[in-house]
Amino acid sequence: MNKSDLARLSIAAIHQKLKNKEIKFFDVIESVFQQIKNNEKKISAYISLFEQESFEQAQQLDQTVKDFSNLHPLTGIPFAIKDNICVKDKLATCGSRILHNFNSPYDATAVQRLKDAGVIIIGKTNLDEFAMGSSNETSYFGKVANPLNPEYVPGGSSGGSAAAIAYSGCLGALGTDTGGSVRLPAAFCGVVGLKPTYGRVSRYGLIAFASSLDCIGPITKTVQDAALILSTIAGHDPYDATSVNMPVNQFLCNPDALKDYTIGVPQEYFTKGLDPRIAQIVEKTIAELGKKCKAVKQISLPHTSYTIATYQLICTAEASSNLARYDGVKYGLRITKDDLIEMYEQTRGQGFGAEVKRRILLGTYGLSKGYYDEYYGTAQKVRALIKQDFDQAFKTCDIIITPTAPTPPFKLGEKIADPLTMYLSDLFTTSASLAGLPAISIPSRDKINGFPAGIQLIGRAFAEQEVLNCADAIEKLYA
Ligand code: GLN
């Protein structure tokens, strides 16, 4: 294999080559930066790149690592981090003008754990402003294009991370998923995206959008790589009171476990909003799975039609509260004015883009006196019903299979003027977010106009291992 093609391999394959001393850490970084040079102009996956530092770190590893038998599987692996996750002394812009000059004073816990494992952080990736979006068109730093076809959106909001993985501009990436932002771009770019159970991975150092939904998750080429990253970043963190104190095993992939699983197919997901070509791909996969798993069962998630409205009420309410801190005083942009109120107004008015302002306004309205019970209160009650749907379903099945997105990727510019249509991209991803459940998107074998479809698997809370086993089995089925 040509050394310049190394970046196309999975993390696991690179690790093996490093261990066998077939390649150097330097070769891997060199190959990744070659891909970045070839693609980045067209795709714009990154907001910042740390080229020189990355080469130095690789050289350092080449000089210092002596014991290759105990090499951590992530040592020397080039990583991209979404730009709403803090990396010490690096910009953390959230794709927003209001934080365009904000440098993080500390590492997010997930980043710290990756660094402890020896990864090389090569850059910070583009995103929809404050992770609000499904297409990666709202960043202050410009849109991201889909590497499979640059006329199309990469999906959002972790579109930079998914695009970087898709064009081999890194080997592992972190994204964040509040209502689907790891899974949707993974689906659109033809890669793997895993949203862990809420509480599995610390949110410390993840700049908050909607705190009761936000999760950090890996975006990778393979299911096994996602398992490796999750094993490294998961686990209790005293800095995040919502991180769960449960032992974390090394997540592995055991595709043979599929024979013990009952797969549930929720009838509500295969209705009129779903592109028939995607339906066909998912149904074909279910038929193939049926021959290898214990059973396939129709299930019902009766409150599915309320998920988008519930998600929008909750995420905007939480966003309006979380984003109140950007006022020109503590972080980032400040438009200087003699009058304090005018300074706030100008800073927020010029610092935030249209989608972020829309969500702050909606959320403030939903939380205001007289409307609080009707909007936010009702949404919380429906959220509990959505969670109960899953509790019920998981009495009769182990894994739920659905499409990740209702449509294939759309063209850049196609939906940006119509937020309601844009919100429908999250039709199938928001329910697992509201219920706090682990969910993965893996690319299908069959393609629609060159784009694979995303297959989503949802598991019980903290059953990432089962989700990974099943996803790995499907990946092997497709191979
Ligand atoms: N696309 C969804 C939204 O616009 C989800 C965003 C996310 O998961 N960060 O809110």
Side-chain angles (χ1 to χ4, degrees):
M1 164 178 230
N2 201 323
K3 273 194 182 159
S4 62
D5 288 331
L6 286 174
R8 293 184 204 281
L9 297 177
S10 67
I11 296 176
I14 288 287
H15 175 65
Q16 207 46 54
K17 285 189 182 296
L18 286 167
K19 256 184 122 163
N20 297 346
K21 301 192 186 164
E22 286 168 49
I23 55 171
K24 287 186 174 320
F25 293 101
F26 188 87
D27 300 330
V28 183
I29 283 289
E30 197 172 38
S31 168
V32 162
F33 273 96
Q34 193 53 53
Q35 295 294 342
I36 292 173
K37 287 207 172 70
N38 296 346
N39 293 284
E40 187 55 19
K41 263 210 177 69
K42 195 166 64 203
I43 306 299
S44 296
Y46 284 95
I47 290 177
S48 12
L49 278 164
F50 319 129
E51 184 169 355
Q52 198 187 334
E53 256 180 86
S54 303
F55 276 98
E56 282 165 11
Q57 282 180 48
Q59 275 167 325
Q60 183 79 22
L61 286 170
D62 280 323
Q63 282 160 14
T64 53
V65 176
K66 299 273 178 277
D67 178 9
F68 281 80
S69 55
N70 284 319
L71 195 68
H72 188 286
L74 298 185
T75 302
I77 300 296
F79 258 75
I81 309 289
K82 188 177 178 181
D83 212 20
N84 60 349
I85 303 174
C86 290
V87 177
K88 190 170 187 306
D89 298 330
K90 303 290 184 211
L91 284 177
T93 69
C94 286
S96 182
R97 184 176 177 213
I98 213 154
L99 287 177
H100 74 283
N101 56 355
F102 173 71
N103 271 296
S104 172
Y106 61 87
D107 280 320
T109 299
V111 168
Q112 183 62 57
R113 290 181 181 173
L114 290 176
K115 283 185 175 175
D116 291 346
V119 312
I120 300 178
I121 294 176
I122 64 163
K124 304 283 307 280
T125 50
N126 210 341
L127 67 157
D128 280 300
E129 188 179 4
F130 279 98
M132 298 174 188
S134 307
S135 66
N136 230 300
E137 294 172 286
T138 69
S139 168
Y140 174 65
F141 298 89
K143 325 183 221 306
V144 179
N146 190 321
L148 299 174
N149 182 339
E151 284 176 27
Y152 287 77
V153 303
S157 63
S158 313
S161 290
I165 289 287
Y167 83 65
S168 300
C170 62
L171 287 173
L174 292 188
T176 65
D177 192 311
T178 302
S181 279
V182 158
R183 291 162 284 160
L184 186 70
F188 279 11
C189 293
V191 296
V192 173
L194 171 66
K195 180 199 100 67
T197 310
Y198 183 83
R200 181 63 106 173
V201 176
S202 168
R203 288 182 296 113
Y204 180 72
L206 157 58
I207 299 175
F209 158 15
S211 314
S212 78
L213 296 157
D214 295 341
C215 295
I216 294 179
I219 299 182
T220 54
K221 292 197 188 102
T222 66
V223 176
Q224 192 190 3
D225 285 358
L228 281 174
I229 298 174
L230 183 66
S231 309
T232 309
I233 63 174
H236 180 245
D237 175 14
Y239 291 136
D240 173 6
T242 61
S243 79
V244 173
N245 201 348
M246 259 172 89
V248 179
N249 300 325
Q250 183 70 32
F251 292 103
L252 300 165
C253 292
N254 175 15
D256 295 336
L258 182 64
K259 65 177 184 323
D260 300 321
Y261 297 162
T262 299
I263 311 283
V265 184
Q267 59 193 45
E268 290 83 358
Y269 283 59
F270 292 82
T271 51
K272 56 179 178 354
L274 175 61
D275 185 293
R277 295 165 299 177
I278 296 186
Q280 204 191 359
I281 288 178
V282 181
E283 276 155 12
K284 194 169 147 193
T285 304
I286 295 171
E288 288 180 53
L289 268 182
K291 294 183 202 137
K292 309 222 162 186
C293 67
K294 188 165 154 202
V296 173
K297 258 201 186 121
Q298 288 286 325
I299 57 158
S300 175
L301 299 168
H303 295 91
T304 297
S305 60
Y306 301 107
T307 52
I308 298 259
T310 307
Y311 168 75
Q312 280 294 333
L313 285 166
I314 291 174
C315 84
T316 55
E318 293 185 16
S320 76
S321 164
N322 276 324
L323 272 60
R325 72 190 68 168
Y326 306 108
D327 55 6
V329 177
K330 304 183 224 39
Y331 320 86
L333 181 75
R334 177 191 186 102
I335 308 282
T336 311
K337 292 280 161 194
D338 292 337
D339 178 70
L340 179 67
I341 300 296
E342 212 186 324
M343 188 280 284
Y344 290 153
E345 281 174 4
Q346 289 297 324
T347 300
R348 288 171 68 80
Q350 296 181 37
F352 290 131
E355 180 62 25
V356 173
K357 285 183 195 164
R358 178 160 36 239
R359 299 218 188 179
I360 292 174
L361 285 173
L362 281 169
T364 307
Y365 185 82
L367 287 176
S368 57
K369 190 157 181 267
Y371 295 111
Y372 180 94
D373 283 338
E374 204 175 325
Y375 291 115
Y376 186 68
T378 306
Q380 289 292 17
K381 288 180 192 153
V382 181
R383 182 177 189 174
L385 294 173
I386 291 166
K387 167 77 170 54
Q388 280 169 25
D389 283 356
F390 281 104
D391 292 344
Q392 224 28 53
F394 282 125
K395 285 184 184 154
T396 61
C397 70
D398 302 297
I399 298 281
I400 294 173
I401 188 167
T402 79
T404 306
T407 66
F410 40 91
K411 285 206 160 138
L412 285 158
E414 194 178 318
K415 296 191 180 175
I416 195 72
D418 184 358
L420 289 181
T421 310
M422 185 75 89
Y423 297 164
L424 287 177
S425 310
D426 308 323
L427 195 58
F428 302 144
T429 48
T430 45
S431 54
S433 301
L434 289 163
L437 302 174
I440 198 167
S441 178
I442 51 171
S444 68
R445 174 182 48 211
D446 295 339
K447 301 199 168 99
I448 303 166
N449 298 333
F451 296 106
I455 310 280
Q456 178 176 236
L457 303 171
I458 307 172
R460 297 183 181 100
F462 300 102
E464 282 88 355
Q465 186 56 70
E466 279 81 356
V467 171
L468 289 162
N469 288 344
C470 188
D472 189 59
I474 297 179
E475 199 177 71
K476 298 222 154 69
L477 213 77
Y478 286 153

